[in-house]
């Protein structure tokens, strides 16, 4: 059985996450969820299943199979939205490993205290679209 990995946000950081997963786990079931149609098309071209929708929306998360994801990587450009997304994912899949990539170091404890397993600081050169 292969991992199911959901990447929410397909800007530069999300693309790097997808490429990293594909390089290290070519058999992983990879799904991307993004609000931008172009990003969805690019993710599909890159070999991922892609869903158009908002990571804060339960219906979009269900369509992206967040409820069965082994890992969820939240790579959106805004820490508040990232936090809201992690809060939306938890009720659907309380056991999944959530990785949030954030901008502001002071937000680290908020994510960690909410059950996000791994919090990473976005690199300064990471641009989001």
């Amino acid at each position: 059985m292969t991992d199911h990995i959901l990447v929410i946000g397909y800007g530069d950081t999300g693309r790097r996450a997808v490429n990293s997963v594909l390089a290290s786990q070519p058999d992983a079931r990879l799904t991307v969820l993004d609000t931008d149609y172009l990003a969805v098309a690019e993710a599909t071209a890159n070999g991922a299943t892609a869903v158009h929708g908002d990571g804060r929306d339960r219906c979009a998360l269900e369509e992206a199979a967040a409820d069965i994801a082994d890992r969820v990587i939240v790579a959106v450009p805004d820490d508040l939205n990232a936090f809201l997304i992690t809060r939306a994912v938890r009720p659907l899949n309380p056991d999944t490993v959530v990785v949030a990539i954030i901008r502001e170091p002071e937000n680290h404890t908020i994510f960690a205290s909410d059950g996000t397993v791994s919090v990473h600081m976005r690199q300064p050169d990471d641009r989001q679209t």
Side-chain angles (χ1 to χ4, degrees):
M1 186 167 161
T2 60
D3 281 340
H4 175 225
I5 301 165
L6 172 60
V7 177
I8 302 175
Y10 199 68
D12 291 343
T13 304
R15 274 187 207 89
R16 279 193 212 122
V18 167
N19 291 336
S20 176
V21 168
L22 290 173
S24 64
Q25 297 175 276
D27 293 334
R29 180 176 168 216
L30 190 61
T31 303
V32 169
L33 176 62
D34 199 287
T35 58
D36 184 300
Y37 285 107
L38 182 57
V40 169
E42 289 175 9
T44 301
N46 197 19
T49 300
V51 174
H52 179 261
D54 190 320
R56 299 169 296 182
D57 178 56
R58 182 182 181 103
C59 291
L61 289 168
E62 288 174 352
E63 186 177 349
D67 59 324
I68 61 168
D70 297 299
R71 284 178 280 165
V72 176
I73 300 170
V74 181
V76 296
D78 176 81
D79 288 358
L80 175 58
N81 282 333
F83 182 73
L84 294 173
I85 290 166
T86 62
R87 299 284 302 207
V89 167
R90 273 293 164 222
L92 295 175
N93 192 340
D95 298 322
T96 191
V97 173
V98 177
V99 177
I101 302 164
I102 63 172
R103 289 182 187 268
E104 302 299 327
E106 61 269 14
N107 292 334
H108 185 277
T109 55
I110 296 168
F111 283 86
S113 68
D114 194 50
T116 302
V117 173
S118 184
V119 181
H120 299 276
M121 290 301 302
R122 181 171 294 134
Q123 299 302 313
D125 63 339
D126 287 353
R127 295 178 319 251
Q128 293 293 311
T129 56

